[in-house]
């Protein structure tokens, strides 16, 4: 393995938002789309794709929190404390009359829309991303459990957003877990702190090996801080009444997509509070780097708790997953999903196929991002893998939270 070969997906992030997204999607900039697209009427009302409803027995609630780490100066701005936005998804009781949470706030959607129009080669404004809604009721009262519920953390891919994992996150919440999704401020695409304040990605040094390693250390520190914050009475009081008491911090899992999956593994190696972790196409696309000592140490020393790596078949199979498994023969396992691509493990798997028929999105473009397998089959299988893994390790008989 050549340690200096460029990362195929976690690659250089430029100063412009468009280039940031294009780098994250491993695509090159294309000319501005023409005023018309084959199969789409530019004068038609904007398309609003829908997320599939979760299949678990519970309705889902959501609460958004701003967390401030006053023990850490922000590593990107070098001034002020580190601030994070998280969303807490949970099994809900009565959701009647509660508004559904947006998939992406209007402020974030405005940034994303322009870049997505170029990436997907659709006319600008053809898709109204701000109108996409989740199935989570904002501030709904939590369902009453038989005992406290396990907590699962979610970390997104580099340069993306915590919202991109909603399909899998809602499924876990509908099956009885409390799921906390986090954005890594100034590394995520953009973070909406409310009141018109949006923290956009800062890309200085992001294309260097040292810069990438630094960002991964920040991600792990963010995750440990979120775990600390969840144990504090003030954080629990900020949640819908009764939810704070339901958090079982003796049963903690973590998963993530791409860099988020590596974040799960690195945090597990640093923090014994995480009982089980799951990586969605992270190690499969990321070779070890000489200036990334934490990753080299992780692969060498292995993990002593359950960790599952699920990879796509569109990315080259590196030796890194096998090396981690070999160093952790009792803990680490590997699976690959046929017909998938890197973004099959994000909400794009559910959203992009709808744009083929309704907005004239070219099929080769979607295939590059989400593969060629039947979209619903991939969504169903990914849901089954994620819920099955955490059900076995956090909700199995004798440890059930509901």
């Amino acid at each position: 393995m050549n340690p200096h070969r460029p990362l195929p997906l976690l690659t250089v992030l430029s100063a412009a938002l468009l280039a940031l997204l294009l780098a994250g999607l491993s695509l090159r900039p294309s000319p501005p789309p023409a005023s018309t697209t084959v199969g789409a009427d530019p004068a038609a009302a904007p398309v609003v794709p829908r997320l599939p409803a979760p299949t678990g027995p519970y309705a889902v609630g959501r609460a958004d929190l701003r967390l401030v780490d006053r023990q850490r100066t922000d590593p990107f701005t070098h001034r002020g404390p580190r601030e994070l936005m998280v969303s807490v998804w949970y099994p809900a009781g009565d959701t009647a009359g509660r508004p559904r949470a947006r998939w992406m706030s209007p402020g974030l959607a405005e940034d994303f829309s322009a870049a997505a129009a170029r990436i997907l080669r659709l006319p600008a404004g053809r898709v109204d991303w701000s109108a996409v809604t989740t199935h989570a009721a904002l501030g709904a009262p939590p369902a009453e459990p038989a005992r406290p519920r396990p907590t699962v953390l979610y970390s997104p891919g580099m340069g993306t957003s915590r919202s991109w994992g909603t399909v899998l996150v809602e499924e876990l919440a509908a099956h009885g877990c409390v799921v906390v999704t986090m954005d890594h401020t100034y590394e995520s695409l953009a973070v909406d702190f409310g009141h018109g304040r949006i923290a956009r990605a800062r890309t200085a040094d992001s294309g260097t090996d040292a810069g990438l390693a630094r960002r991964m250390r920040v991600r792990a520190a963010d995750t440990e801080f979120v775990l600390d914050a969840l144990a504090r009475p003030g954080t629990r009081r900020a949640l819908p009444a009764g939810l704070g008491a339901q958090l079982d911090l003796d049963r903690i899992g973590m998963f993530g997509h791409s860099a988020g999956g590596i974040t799960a593994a690195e945090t597990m190696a640093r923090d014994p509070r995480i009982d089980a972790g799951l990586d969605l196409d992270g190690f499969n696309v990321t070779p070890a780097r000489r200036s990334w000592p934490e990753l080299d140490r992780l692969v060498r020393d292995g993990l002593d708790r359950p960790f599952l790596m699920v990879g796509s078949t569109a990315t080259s199979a590196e030796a890194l997953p096998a090396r981690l498994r070999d160093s952790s023969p009792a803990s680490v396992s590997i699976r690959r999903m046929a017909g998938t691509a890197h973004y099959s493990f994000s909400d794009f798997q559910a959203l992009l196929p709808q744009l083929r028929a309704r907005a004239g999105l070219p099929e080769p473009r979607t295939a590059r991002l989400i593969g060629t397998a039947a979209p619903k089959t991939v969504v169903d299988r990914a849901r089954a893998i994620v819920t099955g893994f955490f059900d076995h390790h956090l909700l199995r008989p004798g440890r059930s939270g509901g």
Side-chain angles (χ1 to χ4, degrees), residues 71-235:
Q71 304 303 311
R72 208 171 25 136
T73 299
D74 190 279
F76 294 96
T77 65
H78 305 292
R79 62 176 184 272
R82 179 70 168 162
E83 296 178 85
L84 301 175
M85 283 298 297
V86 303
S87 293
V88 182
W89 310 71
Y90 54 92
D94 183 11
T95 62
R98 298 274 179 174
R100 295 292 188 243
R102 293 177 185 267
W103 183 64
M104 187 178 289
S105 74
L108 299 184
E110 184 176 352
D111 281 357
F112 179 68
S113 292
R118 298 178 67 94
I119 293 167
L120 303 176
R121 294 181 181 171
L122 294 173
R126 188 72 187 93
V127 181
D128 186 354
W129 298 103
S130 69
V132 179
T133 59
T134 71
H135 298 88
L138 285 171
E144 290 293 334
R147 58 179 294 191
R149 300 187 184 281
T151 303
V152 179
L153 305 182
Y154 173 80
S155 176
M158 188 168 290
T160 68
S161 166
R162 72 187 191 273
S163 66
W164 290 21
T166 295
V167 171
L168 296 175
V169 166
E170 287 191 326
E171 188 74 2
L172 275 173
H175 280 85
C177 292
V178 175
V179 188
V180 181
T181 61
M182 69 189 95
D183 274 328
H184 302 284
T185 313
Y186 299 117
E187 185 251 270
S188 291
L189 168 65
V191 181
D192 191 338
F193 283 96
H195 307 291
R197 181 187 165 209
I198 296 179
R200 294 180 172 86
R202 300 197 173 202
T203 57
D205 86 355
S206 58
T208 67
D209 290 356
L212 177 59
R214 181 174 72 94
R215 286 165 187 266
M216 296 305 297
R217 287 193 294 271
V218 170
R219 281 169 159 263
D222 287 347
T223 306
E224 291 180 291
F225 164 67
V226 169
L227 282 175
D228 292 341
L230 291 174
R232 293 172 184 158
T235 303

Side-chain angles (χ1 to χ4, degrees), residues 37 39-48 117 122-129 355 358-360:
T37 301
D41 178 2
V47 172
V48 180
L122 294 173
R126 188 72 187 93
V127 181
D128 186 354
W129 298 103
L355 303 185
R358 300 172 60 194

Side-chain angles (χ1 to χ4, degrees), residues 146-378:
R147 58 179 294 191
R149 300 187 184 281
T151 303
V152 179
L153 305 182
Y154 173 80
S155 176
M158 188 168 290
T160 68
S161 166
R162 72 187 191 273
S163 66
W164 290 21
T166 295
V167 171
L168 296 175
V169 166
E170 287 191 326
E171 188 74 2
L172 275 173
H175 280 85
C177 292
V178 175
V179 188
V180 181
T181 61
M182 69 189 95
D183 274 328
H184 302 284
T185 313
Y186 299 117
E187 185 251 270
S188 291
L189 168 65
V191 181
D192 191 338
F193 283 96
H195 307 291
R197 181 187 165 209
I198 296 179
R200 294 180 172 86
R202 300 197 173 202
T203 57
D205 86 355
S206 58
T208 67
D209 290 356
L212 177 59
R214 181 174 72 94
R215 286 165 187 266
M216 296 305 297
R217 287 193 294 271
V218 170
R219 281 169 159 263
D222 287 347
T223 306
E224 291 180 291
F225 164 67
V226 169
L227 282 175
D228 292 341
L230 291 174
R232 293 172 184 158
T235 303
R236 297 193 173 208
R237 285 194 297 269
L239 295 170
L243 180 58
Q246 293 188 13
L247 298 179
D248 187 347
L249 298 184
D250 289 326
R251 291 183 294 161
I252 298 175
M254 183 172 179
F255 77 114
H257 172 234
S258 194
I262 303 172
T263 303
E266 289 202 9
T267 308
M268 281 184 67
R270 295 166 49 140
D271 196 323
R273 289 176 291 182
I274 298 179
D275 299 304
L278 194 158
D279 163 61
L280 298 172
D281 214 37
F283 282 90
N284 293 73
V285 299
T286 309
R289 310 296 294 240
R290 287 177 179 171
S291 59
W292 195 344
E294 293 91 347
L295 184 58
D296 291 331
R297 188 178 306 112
L298 169 65
V299 172
R300 182 188 69 236
D301 296 344
L303 295 169
D304 60 0
R305 281 149 287 154
F307 190 77
L308 172 62
M309 292 182 282
V310 183
S312 72
T313 51
T315 53
S316 60
E318 298 286 352
L320 194 59
R323 287 168 52 201
L324 180 58
R325 181 188 58 194
D326 292 344
S327 64
S328 320
S331 304
V332 174
S333 55
I334 302 172
R335 298 180 66 172
R336 291 176 74 81
M337 288 179 59
T340 57
H342 188 57
Y343 285 86
S344 293
F345 304 99
S346 75
D347 290 349
F348 278 7
Q349 182 65 48
L351 296 174
L352 295 190
Q354 299 174 55
L355 303 185
R356 287 202 295 250
R358 300 172 60 194
L361 180 64
E363 187 165 353
R365 178 69 44 167
T366 60
R368 186 170 183 180
L369 296 175
I370 61 174
T372 57
K376 185 178 184 303
T377 299
V378 175

Side-chain angles (χ1 to χ4, degrees), residues 10-33:
L10 307 183
T11 165
V12 178
L13 305 180
S14 74
L17 174 64
L18 173 60
L20 171 69
L21 276 172
L22 294 175
L25 295 174
S26 191
L27 299 173
R28 295 179 179 178
S30 57

